Coordinates of all heavy atoms in Angstrom, one line a residue:
M165 N 19.1 14.0 -20.9 CA 18.0 13.0 -21.0 C 17.8 12.4 -19.6 O 18.7 12.1 -18.9 CB 18.4 11.9 -22.0 CG 18.6 12.5 -23.4 SD 17.1 13.1 -24.0 CE 17.1 12.5 -25.6
T166 N 16.5 12.1 -19.4 CA 16.1 11.5 -18.1 C 15.3 10.3 -18.4 O 14.2 10.3 -18.9 CB 15.3 12.5 -17.3 OG1 16.1 13.7 -17.0 CG2 14.9 11.9 -15.9
N167 N 15.8 9.1 -18.0 CA 15.1 7.9 -18.0 C 14.8 7.4 -16.6 O 15.4 6.6 -16.0 CB 15.9 6.8 -18.8 CG 15.1 5.6 -19.1 OD1 14.1 5.3 -18.4 ND2 15.5 4.8 -20.1
L168 N 13.8 8.1 -16.0 CA 13.4 7.9 -14.6 C 13.1 6.4 -14.3 O 13.5 5.9 -13.3 CB 12.3 8.8 -14.3 CG 11.9 8.9 -12.8 CD1 12.0 10.3 -12.4 CD2 10.6 8.3 -12.6
Y169 N 12.2 5.8 -15.2 CA 11.8 4.5 -14.9 C 12.9 3.5 -14.9 O 12.9 2.5 -14.1 CB 10.6 4.0 -15.8 CG 10.1 2.7 -15.4 CD1 9.4 2.5 -14.2 CD2 10.3 1.6 -16.2 CE1 9.0 1.3 -13.8 CE2 9.9 0.3 -15.8 CZ 9.2 0.2 -14.6 OH 8.7 -1.1 -14.2
S170 N 13.9 3.7 -15.8 CA 15.0 2.7 -15.8 C 15.8 2.7 -14.5 O 16.2 1.6 -14.0 CB 16.0 3.2 -16.9 OG 17.1 2.3 -17.0
G171 N 16.0 3.9 -13.9 CA 16.6 3.9 -12.6 C 15.8 3.3 -11.5 O 16.3 2.5 -10.6
L172 N 14.5 3.5 -11.5 CA 13.6 2.9 -10.6 C 13.6 1.4 -10.7 O 13.7 0.6 -9.8 CB 12.1 3.4 -10.8 CG 11.7 4.6 -10.0 CD1 10.3 5.0 -10.5 CD2 11.7 4.3 -8.5
E173 N 13.6 0.9 -12.0 CA 13.6 -0.5 -12.3 C 14.8 -1.2 -11.7 O 14.8 -2.3 -11.2 CB 13.4 -0.7 -13.8 CG 13.0 -2.1 -14.2 CD 12.7 -2.2 -15.6 OE1 13.3 -1.5 -16.5 OE2 11.8 -3.0 -16.0
M174 N 15.9 -0.5 -11.9 CA 17.2 -1.0 -11.4 C 17.1 -1.2 -9.8 O 17.5 -2.2 -9.3 CB 18.4 -0.1 -11.7 CG 19.7 -0.6 -11.3 SD 21.1 0.5 -11.8 CE 21.0 0.5 -13.5
A175 N 16.6 -0.2 -9.2 CA 16.5 -0.3 -7.7 C 15.5 -1.4 -7.3 O 15.7 -2.1 -6.4 CB 16.0 1.0 -7.1
L176 N 14.4 -1.5 -8.0 CA 13.4 -2.5 -7.7 C 13.8 -3.9 -8.0 O 13.2 -4.9 -7.5 CB 12.1 -2.2 -8.5 CG 11.4 -0.9 -8.0 CD1 10.3 -0.5 -9.0 CD2 10.8 -1.0 -6.6
N177 N 14.9 -4.1 -8.8 CA 15.4 -5.4 -9.1 C 16.3 -5.9 -8.0 O 16.8 -7.1 -8.1 CB 16.1 -5.4 -10.5 CG 15.1 -5.5 -11.6 OD1 14.0 -6.0 -11.5 ND2 15.5 -4.9 -12.7
E178 N 16.6 -5.1 -7.0 CA 17.4 -5.5 -5.9 C 16.7 -6.7 -5.2 O 15.5 -6.7 -5.1 CB 17.7 -4.4 -4.9 CG 18.6 -3.3 -5.4 CD 20.0 -3.9 -5.5 OE1 20.5 -4.5 -4.6 OE2 20.6 -3.6 -6.6
P179 N 17.5 -7.6 -4.6 CA 16.8 -8.8 -3.9 C 16.1 -8.3 -2.7 O 16.4 -7.2 -2.2 CB 18.0 -9.7 -3.6 CG 19.2 -8.8 -3.7 CD 18.9 -7.7 -4.6
R180 N 15.2 -9.1 -2.2 CA 14.4 -8.8 -1.0 C 15.4 -8.6 0.1 O 16.3 -9.3 0.3 CB 13.4 -9.9 -0.7 CG 12.2 -9.9 -1.5 CD 11.1 -10.7 -0.8 NE 9.9 -10.6 -1.7 CZ 9.0 -9.6 -1.6 NH1 9.2 -8.7 -0.7 NH2 8.0 -9.6 -2.3
H181 N 15.1 -7.6 1.0 CA 15.9 -7.3 2.1 C 15.4 -8.0 3.3 O 14.2 -8.4 3.4 CB 15.9 -5.8 2.4 CG 14.6 -5.2 2.6 ND1 13.7 -4.8 1.5 CD2 13.9 -4.9 3.7 CE1 12.6 -4.4 2.0 NE2 12.6 -4.4 3.3
D182 N 16.2 -8.2 4.3 CA 15.9 -8.8 5.6 C 14.7 -8.0 6.2 O 14.8 -6.7 6.2 CB 17.1 -8.8 6.5 CG 16.9 -9.6 7.8 OD1 15.9 -9.2 8.5 OD2 17.6 -10.5 8.1
E183 N 13.8 -8.6 6.8 CA 12.6 -7.9 7.4 C 13.0 -7.0 8.5 O 12.3 -6.0 8.8 CB 11.6 -8.9 7.9 CG 10.9 -9.7 6.8 CD 10.1 -8.8 5.8 OE1 9.5 -7.8 6.3 OE2 10.1 -9.1 4.6
S184 N 14.2 -7.1 9.1 CA 14.6 -6.3 10.2 C 15.2 -5.0 9.6 O 15.6 -4.1 10.4 CB 15.6 -7.0 11.1 OG 16.8 -7.2 10.3
K185 N 15.4 -4.9 8.3 CA 15.9 -3.7 7.7 C 14.9 -2.9 6.9 O 14.0 -3.5 6.3 CB 17.1 -4.1 6.7 CG 18.2 -4.7 7.5 CD 19.3 -5.1 6.5 CE 20.4 -5.8 7.3 NZ 21.4 -6.4 6.4
A186 N 15.0 -1.6 6.8 CA 14.1 -0.8 6.0 C 14.5 -0.8 4.6 O 15.6 -0.7 4.2 CB 14.1 0.6 6.6
G187 N 13.5 -1.0 3.7 CA 13.7 -1.0 2.3 C 13.3 0.4 1.8 O 12.1 0.8 1.9
I188 N 14.3 1.2 1.4 CA 14.0 2.6 1.0 C 14.7 2.9 -0.3 O 15.8 2.5 -0.5 CB 14.5 3.6 2.1 CG1 13.8 3.3 3.4 CG2 14.3 5.0 1.7 CD1 14.3 4.1 4.6
I189 N 13.9 3.6 -1.2 CA 14.5 4.1 -2.4 C 14.4 5.7 -2.3 O 13.3 6.2 -2.1 CB 13.8 3.6 -3.6 CG1 14.0 2.1 -3.8 CG2 14.2 4.3 -4.9 CD1 13.1 1.5 -4.9
F190 N 15.5 6.4 -2.6 CA 15.5 7.8 -2.7 C 15.7 8.2 -4.1 O 16.6 7.7 -4.8 CB 16.6 8.4 -1.9 CG 16.5 8.3 -0.4 CD1 17.2 7.3 0.3 CD2 15.6 9.1 0.3 CE1 17.0 7.2 1.7 CE2 15.4 9.0 1.7 CZ 16.1 8.0 2.4
L191 N 14.8 9.0 -4.6 CA 14.8 9.4 -6.1 C 14.9 10.9 -6.1 O 14.0 11.6 -5.5 CB 13.6 8.9 -6.8 CG 13.4 9.2 -8.2 CD1 14.5 8.6 -9.1 CD2 12.1 8.8 -8.8
L192 N 15.9 11.4 -6.8 CA 16.0 12.9 -7.0 C 15.8 13.1 -8.5 O 16.4 12.4 -9.3 CB 17.4 13.3 -6.6 CG 17.7 13.4 -5.1 CD1 17.8 12.1 -4.5 CD2 18.9 14.3 -4.9
S193 N 15.0 14.1 -8.8 CA 14.7 14.5 -10.2 C 14.6 16.0 -10.4 O 14.0 16.7 -9.6 CB 13.4 13.8 -10.7 OG 13.2 14.2 -12.1
D194 N 15.3 16.5 -11.4 CA 15.2 17.9 -11.7 C 14.5 18.2 -13.0 O 14.4 19.3 -13.5 CB 16.6 18.5 -11.8 CG 17.4 18.0 -12.9 OD1 17.0 17.0 -13.6 OD2 18.5 18.5 -13.2
G195 N 13.8 17.2 -13.6 CA 13.1 17.4 -14.8 C 12.2 16.2 -15.2 O 12.2 15.2 -14.5
D196 N 11.4 16.4 -16.2 CA 10.5 15.3 -16.6 C 11.2 14.2 -17.3 O 12.2 14.4 -17.9 CB 9.4 16.0 -17.5 CG 8.1 15.3 -17.4 OD1 8.0 14.3 -16.6 OD2 7.1 15.8 -18.0
T197 N 10.7 13.0 -17.2 CA 11.2 11.9 -17.8 C 11.0 12.0 -19.3 O 9.9 12.3 -19.8 CB 10.7 10.6 -17.3 OG1 11.3 9.5 -17.9 CG2 9.2 10.4 -17.4
N198 N 12.0 11.9 -20.1 CA 11.9 12.1 -21.6 C 12.6 11.0 -22.4 O 12.8 11.2 -23.6 CB 12.4 13.5 -22.0 CG 13.8 13.7 -21.5 OD1 14.5 12.8 -21.2 ND2 14.2 15.0 -21.5
Q199 N 12.9 9.9 -21.8 CA 13.5 8.8 -22.5 C 13.0 7.5 -21.8 O 12.7 7.5 -20.6 CB 15.1 8.9 -22.3 CG 15.8 7.9 -23.2 CD 17.3 8.2 -23.2 OE1 17.8 9.0 -22.4 NE2 18.0 7.5 -24.1
G200 N 12.9 6.5 -22.6 CA 12.4 5.2 -22.1 C 10.9 5.4 -21.8 O 10.2 6.0 -22.6
E201 N 10.4 4.8 -20.8 CA 8.9 5.0 -20.4 C 8.7 6.4 -20.0 O 9.3 6.8 -19.0 CB 8.5 4.0 -19.3 CG 7.1 4.0 -18.9 CD 6.1 3.8 -20.1 OE1 6.0 2.7 -20.5 OE2 5.5 4.8 -20.6
T202 N 7.8 7.1 -20.6 CA 7.5 8.5 -20.3 C 6.1 8.7 -19.8 O 5.8 9.8 -19.3 CB 7.8 9.4 -21.5 OG1 6.9 9.0 -22.6 CG2 9.2 9.4 -22.0
N203 N 5.3 7.7 -19.9 CA 3.9 7.9 -19.4 C 3.8 7.7 -17.9 O 4.1 6.6 -17.4 CB 3.0 6.9 -20.2 CG 1.5 7.0 -19.7 OD1 1.2 6.6 -18.6 ND2 0.7 7.5 -20.6
W204 N 3.4 8.7 -17.2 CA 3.5 8.6 -15.7 C 2.5 7.6 -15.2 O 2.8 7.0 -14.2 CB 3.2 10.0 -15.1 CG 4.4 10.8 -15.0 CD1 4.8 11.8 -15.9 CD2 5.5 10.6 -14.1 NE1 6.1 12.3 -15.5 CE2 6.5 11.6 -14.4 CE3 5.7 9.8 -13.0 CZ2 7.7 11.7 -13.7 CZ3 6.9 9.9 -12.3 CH2 7.8 10.8 -12.6
N205 N 1.3 7.4 -15.8 CA 0.4 6.4 -15.3 C 1.0 5.0 -15.4 O 0.9 4.2 -14.5 CB -0.9 6.5 -16.1 CG -1.7 7.7 -15.8 OD1 -1.7 8.1 -14.6 ND2 -2.4 8.2 -16.8
R206 N 1.7 4.7 -16.5 CA 2.4 3.4 -16.7 C 3.6 3.3 -15.7 O 3.8 2.2 -15.1 CB 2.8 3.2 -18.1 CG 1.7 2.8 -19.0 CD 2.2 2.3 -20.3 NE 2.9 3.2 -21.1 CZ 2.3 4.0 -22.1 NH1 1.0 3.9 -22.3 NH2 3.1 4.8 -22.8
I207 N 4.3 4.4 -15.5 CA 5.5 4.4 -14.6 C 4.9 4.0 -13.2 O 5.5 3.1 -12.5 CB 6.2 5.7 -14.6 CG1 7.0 5.9 -15.9 CG2 7.1 5.8 -13.4 CD1 7.5 7.3 -16.0
R208 N 3.9 4.7 -12.8 CA 3.3 4.4 -11.4 C 2.8 3.0 -11.3 O 3.1 2.3 -10.4 CB 2.3 5.4 -11.1 CG 2.9 6.8 -10.7 CD 1.8 7.7 -10.1 NE 0.8 8.0 -11.0 CZ 0.8 9.1 -11.9 NH1 1.9 9.8 -11.9 NH2 -0.2 9.3 -12.7
K209 N 2.0 2.6 -12.3 CA 1.4 1.2 -12.3 C 2.5 0.1 -12.3 O 2.5 -0.8 -11.5 CB 0.5 1.0 -13.5 CG -0.1 -0.3 -13.6 CD -1.0 -0.4 -14.9 CE -1.6 -1.8 -15.0 NZ -2.3 -2.0 -16.3
N210 N 3.5 0.3 -13.1 CA 4.6 -0.7 -13.2 C 5.4 -0.7 -11.9 O 5.9 -1.8 -11.4 CB 5.5 -0.5 -14.4 CG 4.8 -0.7 -15.7 OD1 3.8 -1.4 -15.8 ND2 5.4 -0.1 -16.8
T211 N 5.6 0.5 -11.3 CA 6.4 0.5 -10.1 C 5.7 -0.1 -8.9 O 6.3 -0.9 -8.2 CB 6.7 2.0 -9.8 OG1 7.5 2.6 -10.8 CG2 7.5 2.1 -8.5
V212 N 4.4 0.2 -8.8 CA 3.6 -0.5 -7.7 C 3.6 -2.0 -7.9 O 3.8 -2.7 -6.9 CB 2.2 0.1 -7.7 CG1 1.3 -0.7 -6.8 CG2 2.2 1.6 -7.2
R213 N 3.4 -2.5 -9.1 CA 3.4 -3.9 -9.3 C 4.8 -4.5 -9.0 O 4.9 -5.5 -8.3 CB 3.0 -4.2 -10.8 CG 3.0 -5.7 -11.2 CD 2.7 -5.9 -12.6 NE 3.5 -5.1 -13.5 CZ 4.7 -5.4 -13.9 NH1 5.4 -6.4 -13.4 NH2 5.4 -4.6 -14.7
K214 N 5.8 -3.9 -9.5 CA 7.2 -4.5 -9.3 C 7.7 -4.3 -7.9 O 8.4 -5.2 -7.3 CB 8.1 -3.8 -10.3 CG 9.2 -4.7 -10.7 CD 9.9 -3.9 -11.9 CE 11.0 -4.7 -12.5 NZ 11.2 -5.7 -13.2
N215 N 7.2 -3.3 -7.2 CA 7.7 -3.0 -5.8 C 7.1 -4.0 -4.9 O 7.8 -4.5 -4.0 CB 7.3 -1.6 -5.4 CG 7.9 -1.2 -4.1 OD1 8.7 -1.8 -3.5 ND2 7.4 0.0 -3.6
D216 N 5.8 -4.3 -5.0 CA 5.1 -5.2 -4.1 C 5.3 -4.9 -2.6 O 5.6 -5.8 -1.8 CB 5.6 -6.7 -4.4 CG 4.7 -7.7 -3.8 OD1 3.5 -7.5 -3.6 OD2 5.2 -8.8 -3.5
E217 N 5.3 -3.6 -2.3 CA 5.4 -3.1 -1.0 C 6.8 -3.4 -0.3 O 6.8 -3.5 0.9 CB 4.2 -3.5 -0.1 CG 2.9 -3.0 -0.6 CD 1.8 -3.2 0.3 OE1 2.0 -3.8 1.4 OE2 0.6 -2.9 -0.1
R218 N 7.8 -3.7 -1.1 CA 9.1 -4.0 -0.5 C 9.9 -2.7 -0.1 O 10.6 -2.7 0.9 CB 10.0 -4.8 -1.5 CG 9.4 -6.2 -1.8 CD 10.3 -6.9 -2.8 NE 10.4 -6.1 -4.0 CZ 11.6 -6.0 -4.7 NH1 12.7 -6.6 -4.3 NH2 11.6 -5.3 -5.8
F219 N 9.7 -1.7 -0.9 CA 10.4 -0.4 -0.6 C 9.4 0.8 -0.5 O 8.4 0.9 -1.2 CB 11.3 -0.1 -1.8 CG 12.3 -1.1 -2.1 CD1 12.1 -2.1 -3.1 CD2 13.6 -1.1 -1.5 CE1 13.1 -3.0 -3.4 CE2 14.5 -2.0 -1.7 CZ 14.3 -3.0 -2.7
A220 N 9.8 1.7 0.5 CA 9.1 3.0 0.5 C 9.9 3.9 -0.4 O 11.2 3.8 -0.4 CB 9.2 3.5 1.9
I221 N 9.2 4.6 -1.3 CA 9.9 5.4 -2.3 C 9.8 6.9 -1.9 O 8.6 7.4 -1.8 CB 9.4 5.2 -3.7 CG1 9.6 3.7 -4.1 CG2 10.0 6.1 -4.7 CD1 9.1 3.3 -5.4
F222 N 10.9 7.6 -1.6 CA 10.9 9.0 -1.3 C 11.5 9.8 -2.5 O 12.6 9.4 -3.0 CB 11.8 9.2 0.0 CG 11.2 8.6 1.2 CD1 11.5 7.2 1.5 CD2 10.4 9.3 2.1 CE1 10.9 6.7 2.6 CE2 9.9 8.8 3.2 CZ 10.1 7.4 3.5
N223 N 10.7 10.8 -2.9 CA 11.1 11.5 -4.1 C 11.4 13.0 -3.7 O 10.7 13.6 -2.8 CB 9.9 11.6 -5.1 CG 9.8 10.3 -5.8 OD1 10.7 9.8 -6.5 ND2 8.6 9.7 -5.7
F224 N 12.5 13.5 -4.3 CA 12.9 14.9 -4.1 C 12.8 15.5 -5.5 O 13.6 15.2 -6.4 CB 14.3 15.0 -3.5 CG 14.3 14.5 -2.1 CD1 14.6 13.1 -1.9 CD2 14.0 15.3 -1.0 CE1 14.6 12.6 -0.6 CE2 14.0 14.8 0.3 CZ 14.3 13.5 0.5
A225 N 11.9 16.5 -5.7 CA 11.8 17.2 -6.9 C 12.7 18.4 -6.8 O 12.4 19.3 -6.0 CB 10.3 17.5 -7.2
I226 N 13.7 18.5 -7.6 CA 14.7 19.6 -7.5 C 14.4 20.7 -8.6 O 14.4 20.4 -9.8 CB 16.1 19.1 -7.7 CG1 16.4 17.9 -6.8 CG2 17.1 20.3 -7.4 CD1 16.3 18.2 -5.3
G227 N 14.0 21.9 -8.1 CA 13.8 23.0 -9.0 C 12.4 23.1 -9.5 O 11.5 22.4 -9.1
D228 N 12.1 24.2 -10.2 CA 10.8 24.5 -10.7 C 10.2 23.7 -11.8 O 9.0 23.6 -12.0 CB 10.8 26.0 -11.2 CG 11.2 27.0 -10.1 OD1 11.0 26.7 -8.9 OD2 11.8 28.0 -10.4
Y229 N 11.1 23.0 -12.5 CA 10.7 22.2 -13.6 C 10.4 20.7 -13.3 O 10.0 19.9 -14.2 CB 11.7 22.3 -14.8 CG 11.8 23.8 -15.2 CD1 12.9 24.5 -14.9 CD2 10.8 24.4 -15.9 CE1 13.0 25.8 -15.3 CE2 10.8 25.7 -16.3 CZ 12.0 26.4 -16.0 OH 12.1 27.7 -16.4
A230 N 10.8 20.3 -12.1 CA 10.6 18.9 -11.8 C 9.1 18.6 -11.7 O 8.3 19.4 -11.2 CB 11.3 18.6 -10.4
P231 N 8.7 17.4 -12.1 CA 7.2 17.0 -12.1 C 6.8 16.6 -10.7 O 6.5 15.4 -10.5 CB 7.2 15.9 -13.1 CG 8.6 15.2 -12.9 CD 9.5 16.4 -12.7
F232 N 6.6 17.6 -9.8 CA 6.4 17.3 -8.4 C 5.1 16.5 -8.2 O 5.1 15.5 -7.5 CB 6.3 18.6 -7.6 CG 6.0 18.3 -6.1 CD1 6.9 17.6 -5.3 CD2 4.7 18.6 -5.6 CE1 6.6 17.3 -4.0 CE2 4.4 18.3 -4.3 CZ 5.3 17.7 -3.5
E233 N 4.0 16.8 -8.9 CA 2.7 16.1 -8.7 C 2.9 14.7 -9.1 O 2.3 13.8 -8.4 CB 1.6 16.8 -9.5 CG 1.2 18.2 -8.9 CD 0.1 18.8 -9.7 OE1 -0.5 18.2 -10.6 OE2 -0.2 20.0 -9.4
D234 N 3.5 14.4 -10.1 CA 3.7 13.0 -10.6 C 4.6 12.2 -9.6 O 4.4 11.1 -9.2 CB 4.3 12.9 -12.0 CG 3.3 13.4 -13.0 OD1 2.2 12.9 -13.0 OD2 3.7 14.2 -13.9
L235 N 5.7 12.9 -9.1 CA 6.6 12.3 -8.2 C 5.9 12.0 -6.8 O 6.1 11.0 -6.2 CB 7.8 13.1 -8.0 CG 8.8 13.2 -9.2 CD1 9.8 14.3 -9.0 CD2 9.4 11.8 -9.4
E236 N 5.0 13.0 -6.4 CA 4.3 12.8 -5.2 C 3.3 11.6 -5.2 O 3.3 10.9 -4.3 CB 3.5 14.1 -4.9 CG 2.8 14.1 -3.5 CD 2.1 15.4 -3.2 OE1 1.5 16.0 -4.1 OE2 2.2 15.8 -2.1
K237 N 2.6 11.5 -6.3 CA 1.7 10.3 -6.5 C 2.5 9.0 -6.4 O 2.1 8.1 -5.8 CB 1.0 10.4 -7.8 CG -0.1 11.5 -7.9 CD -0.7 11.5 -9.3 CE -1.6 12.7 -9.5 NZ -2.1 12.8 -10.8
L238 N 3.7 9.0 -7.1 CA 4.5 7.8 -7.0 C 4.9 7.5 -5.6 O 4.9 6.3 -5.2 CB 5.8 8.0 -7.9 CG 6.7 6.9 -8.0 CD1 6.1 5.7 -8.8 CD2 8.0 7.3 -8.7
S239 N 5.3 8.5 -4.8 CA 5.7 8.3 -3.4 C 4.5 7.7 -2.6 O 4.6 6.8 -1.9 CB 6.2 9.5 -2.8 OG 7.4 9.9 -3.3
I240 N 3.4 8.4 -2.7 CA 2.2 8.0 -2.0 C 1.8 6.6 -2.3 O 1.5 5.8 -1.3 CB 1.0 9.0 -2.2 CG1 1.3 10.4 -1.6 CG2 -0.3 8.4 -1.7 CD1 0.4 11.5 -2.1
Q241 N 1.8 6.2 -3.5 CA 1.4 4.8 -3.9 C 2.4 3.8 -3.4 O 2.2 2.6 -3.5 CB 1.3 4.7 -5.4 CG 0.1 5.5 -5.9 CD 0.0 5.5 -7.4 OE1 1.0 5.2 -8.1 NE2 -1.2 5.9 -7.9
N242 N 3.6 4.2 -3.0 CA 4.7 3.3 -2.5 C 5.1 3.6 -1.1 O 6.3 3.5 -0.8 CB 5.8 3.4 -3.5 CG 5.4 2.7 -4.9 OD1 5.5 1.5 -5.0 ND2 5.1 3.6 -5.8
N243 N 4.2 4.1 -0.3 CA 4.5 4.3 1.2 C 5.6 5.2 1.5 O 6.3 5.1 2.5 CB 4.7 2.9 1.8 CG 3.6 2.0 1.6 OD1 2.4 2.3 1.8 ND2 3.9 0.7 1.2
G244 N 5.7 6.2 0.6 CA 6.8 7.2 0.8 C 6.2 8.6 0.9 O 5.0 8.9 1.0
V245 N 7.1 9.6 0.8 CA 6.8 11.0 0.8 C 7.6 11.7 -0.3 O 8.7 11.3 -0.6 CB 7.1 11.6 2.2 CG1 6.9 13.1 2.2 CG2 6.4 10.9 3.3
A246 N 7.0 12.8 -0.8 CA 7.8 13.6 -1.8 C 7.9 15.0 -1.3 O 7.1 15.5 -0.6 CB 7.0 13.6 -3.1
R247 N 9.0 15.6 -1.6 CA 9.3 17.0 -1.3 C 9.8 17.8 -2.5 O 10.5 17.2 -3.3 CB 10.3 17.2 -0.2 CG 9.9 16.6 1.2 CD 8.8 17.5 1.8 NE 8.4 17.1 3.1 CZ 7.2 16.5 3.3 NH1 6.4 16.2 2.3 NH2 6.9 16.1 4.5
Q248 N 9.4 19.0 -2.7 CA 9.9 19.8 -3.7 C 10.9 20.8 -3.2 O 10.6 21.5 -2.2 CB 8.8 20.5 -4.5 CG 9.4 21.3 -5.7 CD 8.3 21.6 -6.7 OE1 7.2 21.8 -6.4 NE2 8.7 21.8 -8.0
I249 N 12.1 20.9 -3.8 CA 13.1 21.9 -3.4 C 13.1 22.9 -4.5 O 13.5 22.6 -5.7 CB 14.5 21.2 -3.3 CG1 14.5 19.9 -2.4 CG2 15.5 22.2 -2.8 CD1 14.0 20.1 -1.0
I250 N 12.7 24.1 -4.2 CA 12.6 25.2 -5.2 C 13.9 25.8 -5.3 O 14.7 26.0 -4.4 CB 11.5 26.3 -4.7 CG1 10.2 25.6 -4.4 CG2 11.4 27.4 -5.7 CD1 9.5 25.0 -5.7
E251 N 14.3 26.2 -6.5 CA 15.5 26.9 -6.8 C 15.6 28.1 -5.9 O 14.7 28.8 -5.6 CB 15.6 27.3 -8.3 CG 15.8 26.1 -9.2 CD 15.9 26.5 -10.6 OE1 16.4 27.6 -10.9 OE2 15.4 25.7 -11.5
D252 N 16.8 28.4 -5.5 CA 17.1 29.5 -4.6 C 16.5 29.4 -3.2 O 16.4 30.4 -2.5 CB 16.7 30.9 -5.2 CG 17.5 31.1 -6.5 OD1 18.7 30.7 -6.6 OD2 16.9 31.7 -7.4
S253 N 16.1 28.2 -2.8 CA 15.5 28.1 -1.5 C 16.6 27.6 -0.5 O 17.6 27.0 -0.9 CB 14.4 27.1 -1.4 OG 14.8 25.8 -1.7
D254 N 16.5 28.0 0.7 CA 17.4 27.6 1.7 C 16.9 26.3 2.4 O 15.9 26.3 3.1 CB 17.5 28.8 2.8 CG 18.5 28.4 3.9 OD1 19.3 27.5 3.7 OD2 18.5 29.1 4.9
V255 N 17.6 25.2 2.1 CA 17.2 23.9 2.6 C 17.8 23.6 3.9 O 17.5 22.6 4.6 CB 17.4 22.8 1.6 CG1 16.5 23.0 0.4 CG2 18.8 22.7 1.2
E256 N 18.8 24.4 4.4 CA 19.5 24.1 5.6 C 18.5 24.3 6.8 O 17.8 25.3 6.9 CB 20.6 25.1 5.7 CG 21.6 24.7 6.9 CD 22.8 25.6 6.9 OE1 23.4 25.8 5.8 OE2 23.1 26.1 8.0
G257 N 18.5 23.4 7.7 CA 17.7 23.5 8.9 C 16.2 23.3 8.7 O 15.4 23.6 9.5
R258 N 15.8 22.7 7.5 CA 14.4 22.5 7.3 C 13.9 21.2 8.1 O 14.6 20.3 8.3 CB 14.1 22.2 5.8 CG 14.3 23.5 5.0 CD 13.9 23.2 3.6 NE 12.5 22.9 3.5 CZ 11.8 23.2 2.4 NH1 12.3 23.9 1.5 NH2 10.5 22.8 2.4
D259 N 12.6 21.3 8.5 CA 12.1 20.1 9.2 C 11.4 19.2 8.3 O 10.9 19.5 7.3 CB 11.0 20.6 10.2 CG 11.6 21.5 11.3 OD1 12.7 21.1 11.7 OD2 10.9 22.4 11.8

């Protein structure tokens, strides 16, 4: 079971960081969210509202079944980047 928004919410509840430090959330997912909030539009809307530009969110979609397009939109809306790691790919030495 994957409750993606619950994990995001936990990270977003962290106190504000000192302005001299980077606020970054790394999210790894190998499948679609199927527990808790499952609607990607609501996940993105709630995350942007709760984040309030405190954290850049970087997503790593692991495997062929990860919802890369949804994770990429989430990253873009939160000043981050998303990457998809395809099964059987060689990630060593990637730029």
Side-chain angles (χ1 to χ4, degrees):
M165 298 297 226
T166 302
N167 189 337
L168 188 126
Y169 184 68
S170 178
L172 271 173
E173 196 170 34
M174 184 181 296
L176 293 169
N177 283 332
E178 288 292 314
R180 285 201 175 272
H181 56 278
D182 186 305
E183 292 298 322
S184 66
K185 298 178 182 174
I188 298 173
I189 295 172
F190 291 102
L191 178 66
L192 285 72
S193 179
D194 65 352
D196 213 353
T197 183
N198 55 16
Q199 191 173 9
E201 181 59 73
T202 59
N203 180 289
W204 276 102
N205 289 325
R206 283 195 296 267
I207 289 171
R208 285 191 296 272
K209 180 180 175 185
N210 292 341
T211 300
V212 168
R213 179 183 50 77
K214 213 168 181 71
N215 188 11
D216 193 29
E217 297 188 4
R218 294 179 304 139
F219 298 97
I221 299 178
F222 293 85
N223 286 300
F224 295 89
I226 311 296
D228 300 331
Y229 299 105
F232 178 71
E233 290 179 10
D234 291 311
L235 292 168
E236 183 176 43
K237 288 177 188 175
L238 181 67
S239 286
I240 290 168
Q241 292 174 344
N242 290 279
N243 303 311
V245 175
R247 294 288 182 257
Q248 184 162 28
I249 311 300
I250 305 296
E251 290 180 32
D252 297 326
S253 66
D254 179 15
V255 297
E256 190 174 316
R258 289 184 66 146
D259 294 324

